[in-house]
Amino acid sequence: MRLDKLLANMGFGSRKEVKVLLKKGAVRVNAQPVKDAALHIDPVKDEVTILGEPVVYKEFIYVMMNKPQGVLSATEDKRDRTVVDLLDEENRRYEPFPVGRLDKDTEGFLLLTNDGKLAHNLLSPKKGVPKTYYAHVAGVVTEDDALRFSEGVTLDDGYLTKPGQLRILKSAEVSEIELTITEGKFHQVKRMFEAVGKKVVYLKRLSMGPLVLDETLALGAYRELTEAELGLLTQLSEN
Ligand code: URA
């Protein structure tokens, strides 16, 4: 990778600003002063410092967000605010994208990353990564619905879903449930309830694979994954 690109990516200014730093002799590679912006370096092996401070290289970013309603799971949109708009500039520099989509009116766990391989693994139908949702459902949800979900239900387009695990927390006029599914068809949770004649009126994702929503995150807030959480993802990639 070019030295100026590395420094710009790590937040030391635009490529132009980085060139000024280089000209001033502020940058060293493996203890040698370097002024050549085009120098190719290995960002992992070579030791880069600016005014003696090491530049720690990071290629990927992994952010957990508690997505609020009213925001799109996209990187950009002409009309609406997107989840990427909620990130600060330092995080946006890595060009993260949401791993899968939550509807505009769905809240909860959303992972944003620039790690395409990981995103692919989490979303691949072959991996069948479980996702758990909490919902308020208009209509009395019963054990009969749970049984139907456990066998898979037929959606409005004729698609038979994989089995879903339904846990009824409160069976009432407006029921409260948790549902775990292993696929991610368009509006899947809402359409599964439609298939049993009920309507989801509030939806929040609680978890995706081994990652669980950090409930201390306010709606719209986010944080980078911890080392422990990253470790869980590595296991997923290896399996
Ligand atoms: N299922 C839905 O219906 N909506 C979502 O946002 C996620 C799953």
Side-chain angles (χ1 to χ4, degrees), residues 17-27 34-37:
E17 287 162 342
V18 161
K19 280 209 174 80
V20 176
L21 274 177
L22 286 160
K23 262 208 187 116
K24 281 188 184 156
V27 181
V34 173
K35 296 198 170 175
D36 178 8

Side-chain angles (χ1 to χ4, degrees), residues 179-195:
L179 176 62
T180 301
I181 55 176
T182 56
E183 46 188 357
K185 300 284 172 213
F186 187 59
H187 296 329
Q188 180 154 347
V189 174
K190 292 172 184 166
R191 289 163 73 211
M192 285 177 77
F193 277 98
E194 274 164 26

Side-chain angles (χ1 to χ4, degrees), residues 7 12 26-29 47-57:
L7 294 174
F12 291 97
V27 181
R28 287 176 181 238
V29 177
E47 195 183 276
V48 181
T49 59
I50 295 193
L51 298 172
E53 289 296 316
V55 174
V56 182
Y57 177 70

Side-chain angles (χ1 to χ4, degrees), residues 101-103 106 133 187-191 203:
R101 280 166 187 268
L102 290 179
D103 297 336
T106 301
Y133 295 85
H187 296 329
Q188 180 154 347
V189 174
K190 292 172 184 166
R191 289 163 73 211
L203 187 59

Side-chain angles (χ1 to χ4, degrees), residues 53-72:
E53 289 296 316
V55 174
V56 182
Y57 177 70
K58 189 168 75 170
E59 184 179 9
F60 294 123
I61 190 165
Y62 304 90
V63 170
M64 176 194 301
M65 178 182 284
N66 188 1
K67 179 194 169 295
Q69 293 185 11
V71 175
L72 291 187

